[in-house]
Amino acid sequence: GSKPVKEKNSATNFTNYQDEPEIQNTEKLLITGDDVLIEYVARLMIAIKSIREKLLRQSWKHCINKFICHYVWHTSDTRRKENNKLWQRLESRLIEMKERRKRLLKSLYKNEVTAGSAKKTKDEINLAFEKDYETKEQQK
């Protein structure tokens, strides 16, 4: 029978069976602080949405409000004026973070493609990025 041989890859740990052909995955998984924050805010939003806001401690509400109203945001907290719930205001920040991440990834993608030898038009680069981005988002 085959016995696993543990090998260490720089990006991940995997098990390679001796009878199977070796597959090298050149793609690396990079998790940034932004990715962690996006995931955290998404989970927080879902949790707050599932309960009544009145059950939240005042100190928690205060901290969430500080996050929502922080100066780093490009858009103002317009949902506050509309008297929306806390989860809806968090959702606005979540959308902004995802849009910001997408712009960054698009910029990095364009730099990577233009650094290569193949000459592509701006539309071809944008189309290729959108296809790649949607594929990776669906894999999450």
Side-chain angles (χ1 to χ4, degrees), residues 48-60:
I48 291 174
K49 187 177 180 180
S50 69
I51 63 170
R52 289 189 300 257
E53 268 186 51
K54 292 177 185 175
L55 299 177
L56 293 175
R57 291 183 183 166
Q58 197 58 39
S59 61
W60 296 347

Side-chain angles (χ1 to χ4, degrees), residues 12-103:
T12 59
N13 288 330
F14 64 95
T15 303
N16 182 20
Y17 291 90
Q18 291 175 343
D19 294 344
E20 296 177 15
E22 190 173 317
I23 300 170
Q24 285 190 344
N25 185 359
T26 57
E27 269 191 52
K28 290 186 179 180
L29 176 63
L30 178 67
I31 299 174
T32 66
D34 287 345
D35 294 326
V36 173
L37 185 60
I38 287 169
E39 181 66 24
Y40 176 79
V41 171
R43 290 176 185 219
L44 181 61
M45 182 192 74
I46 291 166
I48 291 174
K49 187 177 180 180
S50 69
I51 63 170
R52 289 189 300 257
E53 268 186 51
K54 292 177 185 175
L55 299 177
L56 293 175
R57 291 183 183 166
Q58 197 58 39
S59 61
W60 296 347
K61 287 184 197 177
H62 175 73
C63 291
I64 294 168
N65 266 313
K66 277 179 66 175
F67 173 78
I68 291 170
C69 298
H70 197 273
Y71 68 87
V72 72
W73 303 112
H74 293 282
T75 58
S76 62
D77 185 22
T78 55
R79 286 189 160 185
R80 184 179 199 177
K81 297 173 189 162
E82 299 167 11
N83 203 20
N84 282 317
K85 299 193 178 296
L86 196 56
W87 74 264
Q88 292 170 314
R89 295 171 59 213
L90 270 174
E91 183 179 45
S92 293
R93 295 309 182 210
L94 183 61
I95 291 167
E96 184 175 335
M97 285 189 290
K98 286 181 176 182
E99 288 171 352
R100 192 181 290 187
R101 180 183 65 187
K102 186 175 180 180
R103 282 192 306 272

